[in-house]
Amino acid sequence: MRVAISGKADDLRVSYIIPAPAWRVTYRVACDGDTTALMAWGIVHNPADEDLDNLELTLTTGHP
């Protein structure tokens, strides 16, 4: 993908879709004395041979 900009760009968003991306949710419960924290992560399988550094991902289930 190549994006060429001429002039000033204060805010630029570029998006594209990878066919059949796979992701799942995993949970972790951490207890520290009387405090309990529930953590959730979206684990993404990256079928493209590109690093996912400095990206903002939006994960959806395909349901409204």
Side-chain angles (χ1 to χ4, degrees):
M1 176 185 305
R2 173 181 246 180
V3 177
I5 299 174
S6 93
K8 184 178 178 183
D10 291 327
D11 186 21
L12 173 67
R13 294 177 189 223
V14 177
S15 64
Y16 65 98
I17 298 173
I18 297 174
W23 71 279
R24 62 186 170 90
V25 178
T26 187
Y27 300 96
R28 178 178 181 217
V29 176
C31 298
D32 183 17
D34 292 336
T35 304
T36 302
L38 173 64
M39 295 170 260
W41 291 278
I43 298 176
V44 178
H45 169 70
N46 181 11
D49 290 332
E50 299 177 28
D51 290 335
L52 296 179
D53 294 336
N54 298 318
L55 289 179
E56 179 180 319
L57 297 175
T58 302
L59 305 175
T60 64
T61 62
H63 297 262

